[in-house]
Structures are given as structure tokens and as C-alpha cells.
DNA sequence: CGTCCATTTGAGGTGGATCAACCCTAGTGG
DNA sequence: CCACTAGGGTTGATCCACCTCAAATGGACG
């Protein structure tokens, strides 16, 4: 039943990926009981929801990675955020999604109906507080990112990006970026060529090391911080 | 008592502007009873709160205008939002203000203690919902602004700005901008000269008219929309 | 009427975009 | 197991939108 509704309402996909109930709560929202969470998978580049679509579900990345973005009419794209495992995304206070969301690579998400969260928030003050705090966390990120987009140089933007990704997904000092250079450019307000040149320069200065274009090791976080204004 | 605490805690000002109790509720938050609102005035360019300061109060503009901004260490500034009469600002879910706030011109605000709002939110679900919705509204603005800062051209940014201000403060088809060209530039990620040139060009094309540099009449909103991507 | 800023306008410089090869590597099929 | 291919990434050359620096103009206020 829920599975069916997901297949039709979440993205109206022709394919029908395996979806099944999980008894687990929507951990990141709170340990609140009584929420039914479902898992769902998307393939690389598949749309999860579109801009201005009704916001029926709230999502949490289980594995993979997601980009949230807005488009101008001529195709220029601004990625507002990348969502990595454990991140919640798609949470709205209003009726619709403000940004579209796509899987960057094959991705599994856990999701709950927005209406069930709203219901829980109506009876449990802690849930209401948590929903507000999550939106406030997104706002903080957006405010930091406005400073980057409005005022930082290309090298400062790339340095900021590397430190953010290092913090969020480095394992054993190494990070495996899920996204391509174009995605990074569209996140930082740059072209993919400018991103590539900045990374090459950091490499030649010994500040980072590559093991393939998307496997990066930061060799000198301090110097990267200095480059970041 | 509260007056005294405001003088010392809100900005520690040497001057002591007139502050007095108002029986009125904090209208924009909700018609919730039991909240004590106070009025306070700031002179042009006076700081209301600094970046990373504890967020003790929530503010509503009564008259005047406010800029919220972040600074880089070398002084580059990104204004995240302008706050105009009836706007609420300074609302935080966390402990501190993420951006600094300053009066653009002589400004009067109404304010309430954050703790009293939190208390009200704990007992009244409608208040909790409203606080979330206000933060979500700020997030929507920030998301739109990221697209502008990351991907729009100078002319598109200025067109977007004019349409936003027209919507928010036009009276009888005319808008009186409270902020200078530098503020507009720091809001749009441009220099003040680029803003001035764009406005001059729109003027020469008959899209807008001036009555003094800050009194603007939009003569063709449709063409402005077309310039906005 | 004079002073002080805000604004406009001009001239020239530049950081990042654009356009164009080329290269690498992972995946494919022979 | 290797040749082939396609898509992602790198690098080079050139361009241009916007920035910087400079000067003139205008408007508000004493």
C-alpha cells in the first residue's frame, strides 16, 4: 500500500525499485515512536522530486548522495546543498519543495510522510523543536553559502568546499567525492574548468593528493584554511 | 527594569534611547497573549547585534530598515537580507546570531525575549509552528538568493532586486530605497559602481524613473521581469 | 553658500568564463 | 586479456563582464 503510493507519488517512475517497510524510526528526526519509515532506492541521476512539487515526504540518505538545486530558464543551475549519508533533506514547512533533488550516484533513502511528522509535532513539543532546528540548520548553511557565492574568490570557494567535504565524508583522512566537477562548479558558482584548475594548483602545491580524480587526501588543512579567507 | 536590561543587554550603548513597554503583542509572531513587547530605537548605522552574539531577543521592524550581514576577515561583506517595516529578524533556533544586524537609517524595533517565545512555543503548538514557518521563510529567501549570487548576471541581479523592493516597499508605484548603492552591491555580490551602471542603463531605456537617486519608479515591470532570467 | 558624502561616469585591468584540444580511465565487447 | 569507446577530467588560448582606480557631479544639510 505504502509501497504503491511511493512508486506513484514520489517520482512516478516507470521502474519499480524494491521498497519495503522498516520498523526503524526516522532516527535523525528524533527517537520518536510511531513513525513508519520506508526505504527506497534511486539510480544515478534519477530525480527524487522536482522544484515546486508538493512536499509529501521527508527523506534521509541511507547510502549514496543527493544534490538539491534550482534552475534558471536557460539551464543555468545552482546546487544549494549536497546530502550525504545520515543527512535529512526535503523537509519543508510550506506545501512544496523549493529545490529539486536528484541522486548523484545510486542512492538509498529512508522516508516518512510529512503528514505523520506534522502530526507528531502537534503532540510532541520535542519533535516540533527538532523540525525547527533542522530547518534552522539548513538556513545556517545557506547563509554561509551566500557569503561564499557573493564574496569569495574561486580558490577560496574550492578551499571551503574541500574543508566541508573533508569534515562531512572523510574516512581515514581520505575523501571519496561522489560528485563530478560540474556539480562542484554548480555548487560553488564556478565552471567545471575553474574547479579543475584550482584543484590542480592545490595538488601542485602539495596541499592535497589524488588517487583518481575523486579520491582526495588533504595533506595540509592549515594551508587550506589560510586560503579560505 | 526591562528597559534597563535592554539598554545594557541589547547593545550596551552609551546613549540611552527612549524605551518603553507596549501592551501590544508581537503581532507578526502571532496574536499570542502573554508576551511582553518593548520598543527600542537605533540611529543610522548603529549595530543591533553582532555576528555570533548570544541571541537573546527577537525583533520586528516598526519603522526604518535593517541589514543582516556577514564579514570576511579582510572586510568583504555579504548582506543576506534587508528587513523592512513589519519584518521579523534576529530569530534563531540555536544560541547565537548567525549574522550581524545594523540599522540602515534611524530605526525603531519592537522586541521580545527569545526565552518567552520559547516558553510560549512549549505550550502553544500554533506558536511553535509559526516560529518554524518564519525560519522556513528566511530559508526560502536564502535559497533564491543563492541562485542569484551563484548564477545571475549583474543586470539580472539588479532587476531581481528592483522587483523585490517594488513588491516589499512600493507605495503608489514609487519606492523609497533606504539603503545606499554600496549596500545594494553587498546584497547582490556586486560593486557599487556596477549597481549604479545597471540602474543608469535601465533609466536610459525608460524602464525606471528617478526622483533623486533613491526614489525609483518602475515604468515597465514586464521588461524588468524579462531581464531577470 | 560651502562642505561632505553618495552617486555617476570614464578608462583600463583582470579573474574567471568560454571555446577547444587532449588525456585518462573505467567499462564493454571481441 | 586486450583493444575500443565514451564520459569525465585536464590543460591551453582567448575573451569579456565585472572590478578597480580615478575624477566629476549632485544633493542634503549646516
Amino acid at each position: 500500500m505504502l509501497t504503491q503510493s511511493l512508486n506513484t507519488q514520489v517520482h512516478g517512475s516507470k521502474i519499480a525499485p524494491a521498497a519495503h517497510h522498516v520498523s526503524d524510526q526516522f532516527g535523525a528526526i528524533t527517537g520518536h515512536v510511531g513513525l513508519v519509515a520506508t526505504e527506497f532506492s534511486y539510480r544515478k541521476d534519477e530525480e527524487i522530486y522536482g522544484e515546486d512539487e508538493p512536499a509529501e515526504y521527508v527523506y534521509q540518505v541511507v547510502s549514496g548522495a543527493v544534490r538539491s538545486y534550482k534552475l534558471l530558464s536557460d539551464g543555468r543551475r545552482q546546487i544549494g546543498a549536497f546530502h550525504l549519508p545520515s543527512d535529512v533533506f526535503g523537509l519543508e514547512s510550506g506545501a512544496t519543495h523549493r529545490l529539486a533533488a536528484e541522486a548523484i550516484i545510486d542512492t538509498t533513502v529512508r522516508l516518512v510522510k510529512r503528514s505523520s511528522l506534522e502530526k507528531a509535532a502537534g503532540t510532541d513539543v520535542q519533535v516540533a523543536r527538532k523540525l525547527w532546528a533542522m530547518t534552522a540548520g539548513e538556513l545556517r548553511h545557506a547563509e554561509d553559502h551566500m557569503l561564499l557565492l557573493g564574496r569569495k574568490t574561486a580558490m577560496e570557494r574550492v578551499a571551503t568546499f574541500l574543508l566541508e567535504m573533508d569534515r562531512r565524508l572523510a574516512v581515514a583522512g581520505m575523501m571519496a567525492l561522489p560528485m563530478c566537477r560540474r556539480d562542484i562548479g554548480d555548487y560553488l558558482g564556478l565552471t567545471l574548468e575553474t574547479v579543475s584548475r584550482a584543484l590542480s594548483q592545490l595538488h601542485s602545491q602539495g596541499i592535497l593528493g589524488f588517487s583518481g580524480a575523486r579520491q582526495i587526501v588533504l595533506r595540509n588543512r592549515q594551508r587550506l584554511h589560510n586560503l579560505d579567507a
Side-chain angles (χ1 to χ4, degrees), chain A:
Chain A
M1 206 71 64
L2 181 54
T3 299
Q4 184 54 37
S5 80
L6 287 174
N7 285 342
T8 55
Q9 298 183 42
V10 170
H11 67 348
S13 178
K14 278 65 60 188
I15 61 161
H20 57 280
H21 295 275
V22 286
S23 54
D24 187 33
Q25 290 93 28
F26 209 52
I29 282 166
T30 179
H32 193 75
V33 296
L35 292 179
V36 179
T38 301
E39 286 201 357
F40 201 92
S41 292
Y42 300 89
R43 285 166 310 165
K44 177 172 153 63
D45 296 325
E46 193 177 352
E47 178 176 295
I48 299 173
Y49 50 78
E51 196 173 334
D52 297 321
E53 247 179 45
E56 199 167 353
Y57 297 93
V58 178
Y59 305 77
Q60 182 182 33
V61 180
V62 173
S63 66
V66 173
R67 56 181 171 251
S68 287
Y69 63 93
K70 280 177 167 286
L71 292 178
L72 292 176
S73 50
D74 63 357
R76 280 173 287 171
R77 182 178 65 158
Q78 179 62 45
I79 293 179
F82 291 120
H83 309 292
L84 305 175
S86 87
D87 291 348
V88 172
F89 68 99
L91 173 64
E92 299 285 345
S93 167
T96 61
H97 289 294
R98 253 66 227 181
L99 292 83
E102 286 174 355
I104 295 174
I105 53 178
D106 290 352
T107 295
T108 297
V109 302
R110 188 175 300 147
L111 47 78
V112 301
K113 276 196 130 81
R114 198 169 82 103
S115 57
S116 67
L117 274 182
E118 297 266 8
K119 186 148 163 277
T123 55
D124 185 337
V125 172
Q126 291 306 102
V127 173
R129 193 68 181 69
K130 181 70 182 175
L131 294 177
W132 180 26
M134 287 194 297
T135 296
E138 288 185 69
L139 176 58
R140 174 177 342 146
H141 181 268
E143 289 165 341
D144 291 342
H145 212 58
M146 285 193 286
L147 176 62
L148 178 149
L149 293 170
R151 289 304 181 209
K152 289 188 183 180
T153 66
M155 184 55 81
E156 288 166 350
R157 295 178 200 209
V158 171
T160 303
F161 170 77
L162 288 170
L163 290 168
E164 179 188 354
M165 288 301 134
D166 181 54
R167 177 173 52 77
R168 293 176 61 192
L169 55 69
V171 187
M174 151 97 45
M175 57 183 145
L177 297 177
M179 72 291 285
C180 66
R181 298 293 188 263
R182 178 175 297 277
D183 286 344
I184 299 173
D186 284 351
Y187 179 58
L188 300 179
L190 301 170
T191 60
L192 63 93
E193 292 95 331
T194 298
V195 171
S196 178
R197 278 184 244 272
L199 291 173
S200 294
Q201 191 181 331
L202 293 173
H203 184 223
S204 73
Q205 292 174 220
I207 292 175
L208 60 80
F210 283 113
S211 320
R214 297 190 189 183
Q215 293 274 338
I216 296 180
V217 187
L218 299 190
R219 300 204 185 288
N220 194 330
R221 286 174 180 76
Q222 187 53 56
R223 279 217 276 163
L224 217 42
H225 267 293
N226 296 343
L227 288 177
D228 176 17

